[in-house]
Amino acid sequence: MPADALQREFERQLAGVTDVRRWLIGYSGGLDSRVLAELAARVLDPSRLLLLHVNHHLQSESDAWAAHAVEQAAALGVAIRVLDVAPTSASEADARQARYAAFMAELGAGDLLLLGHHADDQAETLLLRLMRGAGARGLAGMPRQRALGEARLLRPLLGVSRLELSDWARHQGLDWVNDPSNSALEYDRNFVRHRVLAPLMQRWPDAPARMGLSAGLLDETAGLLEELARADLKACLNDRAGLAGGLLGQLSAARQRNLLRYWLGARTGVTVNGPLLERIEQELLQAGSDRQPQLQLGEHALRRYRGDLYVQAPLKVTPSAVLARVALAPGEIALQQGLLSISAVNTVSRPALRTLEGLGLRYRREGERCRPAGRSGSHPLKKLFQEYGVLPWQRNAWPLLVCGDEIVAAPGLWVCEGWQARPAEDGYVLGWCPG
């Protein structure tokens, strides 16, 4: 690839990028990052450019490579920062996790991280994910750009082959480090590179480019599936951010799986693969109507209640002692498990509390009863929560307004008999939005 052609491609990839505070480059000193740093030093403002070299301390040459990276940065006239990490093992996954954690610690709002992944890397990623049984989103490969916390990530060389990079680097007289571990076949990526992709390229020299085209088409497919999932989610979402089981059941099996992947992935961060979808179908969707099954998904739980599906996040609850000291007044009161709202009204058109004076907050107690306004006799609090459809895992953390030991109101649900404002009186409307 001619020198000006590669630089034009680099500039083209950066053309649509705006509002960049700093340009940061993941710089190992290998071929791809060496070329990336060279291009960036020629095109970008060096005062806003920073190389990040991650020293994994996994090989005897690690410190020498870090020193070489510092020398190269000085020669380019750009700043560099060496980040020392300690992966939990020498595996590819652990090293990558440690590396990205180090990047995240350095990145802030407005920063753009440039990585030197190229077309051969994309082809290797596609083949690896194919062996893992990935779907359209996984087979779309590495995205050219994405959000990274408050910052962004861009791979401007993703359409350029390794051969094109090496030819360009040699023509420019660049030198780079060669990591001997790149030839170790016990690593999956190296095996794919040397034993799978290399023979394919002997037969089809443009194999990485062809695979890149397929990855792009699969990225389009994944985008369409997400659009469909968002439309289905809007149609199936109930008024408590759960999936209505009856509406979910009206979708085809494929659309159900697509919706569950999207919804659960967004809510829990868990990758919802085929085996997990089978467990959801067997353990939740097909469970008896009288059961309330649940399935743990990382820190979250997927639960079924009255036929609908809900994601239960790890529950943090305001301690009882702290809750008891909360001063009640019109406005919003943020608790760890949700938001309590108190609105003063002078025309009562819905159940409202007649006063806040002398009232406090606490949680329910075993065996308690109360009498909602307009009802005959008292009722067990447990039965009332069931009647009002309060999700079982929210009941113990639902704040109650009390006067001494007497329950006065359950915000968002009812006001108790004797405590309601009359139609001509001022009052307070209580709301509760669980977190």
Side-chain angles (χ1 to χ4, degrees), residues 95-266:
R96 181 184 184 280
Q97 183 176 0
R99 184 165 60 254
Y100 273 79
F103 289 155
M104 290 292 291
E106 295 294 322
L107 293 167
D111 288 343
L112 182 68
L113 176 66
L114 301 176
L115 297 180
H117 295 118
H118 45 71
D120 295 47
D121 292 325
Q122 184 73 299
E124 293 163 11
T125 297
L126 190 149
L127 289 167
L128 283 167
R129 293 182 179 177
L130 186 64
M131 291 301 99
R132 294 169 189 161
R137 175 52 64 201
L139 294 177
M142 296 178 287
R144 188 174 297 274
Q145 57 183 316
R146 67 177 176 87
L148 194 62
E150 293 184 321
R152 290 172 290 169
L153 178 153
L154 176 66
R155 298 179 171 96
L157 304 179
L158 206 55
V160 184
S161 71
R162 180 185 287 111
L163 180 60
E164 289 173 317
L165 292 181
S166 62
D167 286 347
W168 187 86
R170 290 190 178 93
H171 187 266
Q172 299 297 312
L174 307 183
D175 64 330
W176 58 89
V177 300
N178 288 301
D179 185 347
S181 70
N182 287 334
S183 299
L185 297 182
E186 60 265 27
Y187 295 116
D188 290 345
R189 183 170 289 275
N190 290 344
F191 181 87
V192 167
R193 179 179 304 159
H194 298 294
R195 294 293 178 85
V196 180
L197 188 58
L200 284 174
M201 292 176 65
Q202 289 178 2
R203 176 83 177 192
W204 298 286
D206 61 345
R210 295 188 186 190
M211 292 183 186
L213 289 174
S214 293
L217 292 172
L218 286 162
D219 187 51
E220 274 190 20
T221 300
L224 291 172
L225 289 173
E226 286 187 9
E227 284 187 25
L228 179 61
R230 285 194 291 270
D232 285 341
L233 178 61
K234 185 177 181 180
C236 294
L237 207 62
N238 66 20
D239 57 2
R240 288 176 293 182
L243 289 184
L247 297 174
L248 181 66
Q250 294 177 17
L251 301 177
S252 67
R255 285 176 67 170
Q256 286 184 38
R257 291 192 294 269
N258 184 53
L259 174 54
L260 287 170
R261 284 192 194 97
Y262 175 79
W263 181 60
L264 293 175

Side-chain angles (χ1 to χ4, degrees), residues 144-394:
R144 188 174 297 274
Q145 57 183 316
R146 67 177 176 87
L148 194 62
E150 293 184 321
R152 290 172 290 169
L153 178 153
L154 176 66
R155 298 179 171 96
L157 304 179
L158 206 55
V160 184
S161 71
R162 180 185 287 111
L163 180 60
E164 289 173 317
L165 292 181
S166 62
D167 286 347
W168 187 86
R170 290 190 178 93
H171 187 266
Q172 299 297 312
L174 307 183
D175 64 330
W176 58 89
V177 300
N178 288 301
D179 185 347
S181 70
N182 287 334
S183 299
L185 297 182
E186 60 265 27
Y187 295 116
D188 290 345
R189 183 170 289 275
N190 290 344
F191 181 87
V192 167
R193 179 179 304 159
H194 298 294
R195 294 293 178 85
V196 180
L197 188 58
L200 284 174
M201 292 176 65
Q202 289 178 2
R203 176 83 177 192
W204 298 286
D206 61 345
R210 295 188 186 190
M211 292 183 186
L213 289 174
S214 293
L217 292 172
L218 286 162
D219 187 51
E220 274 190 20
T221 300
L224 291 172
L225 289 173
E226 286 187 9
E227 284 187 25
L228 179 61
R230 285 194 291 270
D232 285 341
L233 178 61
K234 185 177 181 180
C236 294
L237 207 62
N238 66 20
D239 57 2
R240 288 176 293 182
L243 289 184
L247 297 174
L248 181 66
Q250 294 177 17
L251 301 177
S252 67
R255 285 176 67 170
Q256 286 184 38
R257 291 192 294 269
N258 184 53
L259 174 54
L260 287 170
R261 284 192 194 97
Y262 175 79
W263 181 60
L264 293 175
R267 293 292 303 274
T268 70
V270 171
T271 300
V272 184
N273 54 25
L276 181 54
L277 284 169
E278 287 184 14
R279 288 193 64 191
I280 292 171
E281 182 175 358
Q282 294 171 5
E283 298 179 25
L284 278 87
L285 299 182
Q286 296 179 359
S289 59
D290 59 334
R291 296 181 55 201
Q292 297 180 20
Q294 67 179 74
L295 180 64
Q296 200 66 31
L297 300 177
E299 294 184 345
H300 296 73
L302 176 62
R303 306 184 64 152
R304 195 187 73 181
Y305 178 64
R306 295 184 176 178
D308 294 349
L309 296 180
Y310 299 90
V311 172
Q312 179 189 357
L315 187 61
K316 296 181 179 179
V317 178
T318 298
S320 298
V322 176
L323 187 70
R325 295 196 296 269
V326 171
L328 297 177
E332 293 184 340
I333 300 172
L335 304 178
Q336 290 191 49
Q337 70 274 28
L339 186 67
L340 173 66
S341 62
I342 303 176
S343 303
V345 293
N346 53 24
T347 302
V348 178
S349 58
R350 50 183 169 151
L353 188 65
R354 59 180 170 79
T355 183
L356 297 175
E357 188 175 349
L359 304 186
L361 292 172
R362 68 165 169 84
Y363 300 119
R364 72 170 181 168
R365 298 168 182 169
E366 188 66 29
E368 282 193 302
R369 306 172 68 92
C370 69
R371 180 186 175 187
R375 302 281 291 267
S376 60
S378 66
H379 302 265
L381 200 57
K382 177 180 179 180
K383 295 294 185 182
L384 288 172
F385 274 139
Q386 291 175 349
E387 179 184 330
Y388 280 82
V390 175
L391 301 175
W393 52 94
Q394 295 177 349

